[in-house]
């Protein structure tokens, strides 16, 4: 799994011009599922994200976790994170999971994040053409790949 994590002051997902999910202070997580991913990957990823100290403390230093600041979460599926661009001008998505597998892991990720954080997790609609807007706070963007756990 690849997760692009953006610290936001707010974020919103629209479908056909209608808002279907929104958050205030929190994390927008763009999630790409690969065909080799499994439940172990999603559990590891959730345990990595929640305690990550990427929110500012009273001195402006990144010392606080999402738990400390009671952040909200918005998860959006994005298979294009697995784009391969080595050859030609058209990206290949050969490593992205097939929709049935990807949807199941996406939904399980949302559920696990909700359980581990103790908060309801907002989310986009799997497989839909969505419009995502956000104000990236910092800006702060972190990319985590469960296949590269260094």
């Amino acid at each position: 799994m690849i997760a692009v994590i953006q610290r936001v002051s707010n974020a919103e997902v629209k479908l056909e011009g209608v808002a279907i999910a929104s958050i205030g202070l929190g994390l927008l997580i763009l999630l790409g599922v690969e065909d080799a991913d499994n439940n172990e990957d999603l559990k590891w990823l959730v345990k990595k994200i929640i305690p990550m100290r990427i929110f500012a403390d009273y001195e402006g230093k990144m010392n606080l976790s999402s738990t400390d600041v009671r952040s909200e979460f918005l998860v959006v599926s994005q298979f294009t994170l697995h784009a391969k661009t080595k050859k030609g001008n058209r990206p290949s998505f050969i490593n992205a999971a097939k929709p049935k597998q990807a949807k199941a892991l996406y939904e399980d990720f949302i559920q696990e994040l909700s359980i581990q954080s103790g908060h309801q997790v907002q989310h986009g609609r799997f497989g839909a053409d969505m419009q995502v807007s956000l104000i990236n706070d910092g800006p702060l963007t972190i990319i985590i790949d469960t296949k590269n756990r260094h």
Side-chain angles (χ1 to χ4, degrees), residues 6 9 14 18 20 26 31 34 42 47 62 75 86 98 117-118 123-124 127 131 133-134 137 150:
Q6 295 180 303
S9 53
K14 288 184 178 181
V18 177
I20 61 168
L31 184 69
E34 184 178 342
L42 77 85
K47 287 182 180 180
M62 287 195 300
V75 180
K86 185 175 181 180
K98 301 292 183 259
S117 69
H123 55 86
Q131 298 76 48
S133 60
L134 65 129
D137 182 26
H150 295 79

Side-chain angles (χ1 to χ4, degrees), residues 5 90 149:
I5 301 161
R90 183 178 187 153
R149 298 182 186 187

Side-chain angles (χ1 to χ4, degrees), residues 59-138:
E59 293 179 348
K61 297 183 193 274
M62 287 195 300
N63 279 324
L64 303 177
S65 70
S66 60
T67 304
D68 297 328
V69 300
R70 306 188 73 163
S71 77
E72 297 179 272
F73 299 94
L74 174 55
V75 180
V76 176
S77 66
Q78 190 169 350
F79 77 93
T80 60
L81 294 175
H82 289 286
K84 301 297 178 207
T85 59
K86 185 175 181 180
K87 294 163 79 176
N89 294 321
R90 183 178 187 153
S92 168
F93 303 105
I94 191 95
N95 292 342
K98 301 292 183 259
K100 185 176 180 181
Q101 175 194 4
K103 183 177 183 184
L105 286 172
Y106 168 73
E107 290 172 349
D108 289 349
F109 177 84
I110 292 166
Q111 183 178 20
E112 186 70 20
L113 184 59
S114 179
I115 291 167
Q116 295 298 323
S117 69
H119 298 289
Q120 182 179 4
V121 174
Q122 298 291 312
H123 55 86
R125 185 171 301 155
F126 182 87
D129 183 7
M130 299 169 281
Q131 298 76 48
V132 180
S133 60
L134 65 129
I135 296 179
N136 190 324
D137 182 26

Side-chain angles (χ1 to χ4, degrees), residues 135-150:
I135 296 179
N136 190 324
D137 182 26
L140 186 135
T141 302
I142 295 173
I143 301 169
I144 301 175
D145 185 343
T146 61
K147 301 300 185 243
N148 186 14
R149 298 182 186 187
H150 295 79

Side-chain angles (χ1 to χ4, degrees), residues 1 36-45 146-147 149:
M1 291 182 162
D37 290 332
N38 56 43
N39 281 328
E40 180 184 322
D41 292 305
L42 77 85
K43 288 181 179 186
W44 180 87
L45 186 56
T146 61
K147 301 300 185 243
R149 298 182 186 187

Side-chain angles (χ1 to χ4, degrees), residues 3-64:
V4 175
I5 301 161
Q6 295 180 303
R7 185 179 67 192
V8 299
S9 53
N10 64 61
E12 179 180 70
V13 175
K14 288 184 178 181
L15 183 62
E16 297 178 1
V18 177
I20 61 168
S22 65
I23 63 170
L25 176 69
L27 299 177
L28 169 63
I29 302 168
L30 304 175
L31 184 69
V33 180
E34 184 178 342
D35 59 4
D37 290 332
N38 56 43
N39 281 328
E40 180 184 322
D41 292 305
L42 77 85
K43 288 181 179 186
W44 180 87
L45 186 56
V46 167
K47 287 182 180 180
K48 190 73 173 172
I49 292 170
I50 292 173
M52 193 175 298
R53 296 176 6 186
I54 56 176
F55 290 91
D57 63 15
Y58 67 95
E59 293 179 348
K61 297 183 193 274
M62 287 195 300
N63 279 324
L64 303 177

